[in-house]
Amino acid sequence: MNRYVAFLKVLDLNSITKAAQTLGYTQSAVSQMIQSLEKELQLNLIRRSRNGVVLTEEGKKLLPYIERAVNEYHQLLEIDREILGLEDGLIRIGTLSSYSSQWLPRIIKEFQELY
């Protein structure tokens, strides 16, 4: 599943390097994940260029299925956590950049210590 997640992150950020940084992998590891996925499917999913990545026609056809698989996987993990009695979710915070750089890091750290 990590290969699918990495693939979607590469598309989202239009960069293998940025996706790797976001996911906590090396650029080489994400590139190998994509190559492994392409090898398994026996298709080229993306074209790499200096300007980023572009979906191939095959990649465009498979993209909705990959997105669905990743979403289902995340739902499975969420239900698993609920069964185990763990509460989990996504919190989105809208704020001004001055607050987000000055106040939010401390507030988030305190939140993590409490929960």
Side-chain angles (χ1 to χ4, degrees):
M1 193 55 63
N2 290 339
R3 295 180 302 168
Y4 295 120
V5 171
F7 173 73
L8 293 178
K9 188 58 73 175
V10 166
L11 293 179
D12 183 43
L13 299 175
N14 194 35
S15 166
I16 292 174
T17 302
K18 289 178 185 175
Q21 291 169 344
T22 301
L23 296 170
Y25 294 117
T26 63
Q27 181 272 336
S28 175
V30 171
S31 187
Q32 288 176 6
M33 286 179 179
I34 302 298
Q35 289 173 358
S36 171
L37 181 59
E38 290 177 327
K39 185 177 179 181
E40 177 186 330
L41 298 173
Q42 299 178 352
L43 297 169
N44 289 325
L45 300 173
I46 59 172
R47 275 184 273 117
R48 298 147 180 88
S49 73
R50 286 182 284 168
N51 299 327
V53 295
V54 178
L55 271 175
T56 62
E57 288 303 314
E58 294 85 1
K60 289 177 185 177
K61 288 179 183 177
L62 290 178
L63 180 61
Y65 300 98
I66 293 171
E67 290 173 328
R68 195 172 314 131
V70 169
N71 287 334
E72 293 290 329
Y73 176 70
H74 287 296
Q75 287 179 354
L76 173 101
L77 293 178
E78 189 173 322
I79 291 170
D80 178 57
R81 289 183 190 113
E82 288 176 14
I83 291 170
L84 295 172
L86 303 173
E87 292 186 28
D88 191 31
L90 177 67
I91 299 174
R92 294 183 193 263
I93 301 172
T95 183
L96 301 171
S97 60
S98 59
Y99 290 128
S100 63
S101 64
Q102 298 294 322
W103 295 73
L104 274 183
R106 181 181 50 81
I107 293 169
I108 291 173
K109 183 178 179 184
E110 290 174 8
F111 179 84
Q112 287 176 327
E113 288 171 358
L114 288 171
Y115 303 99

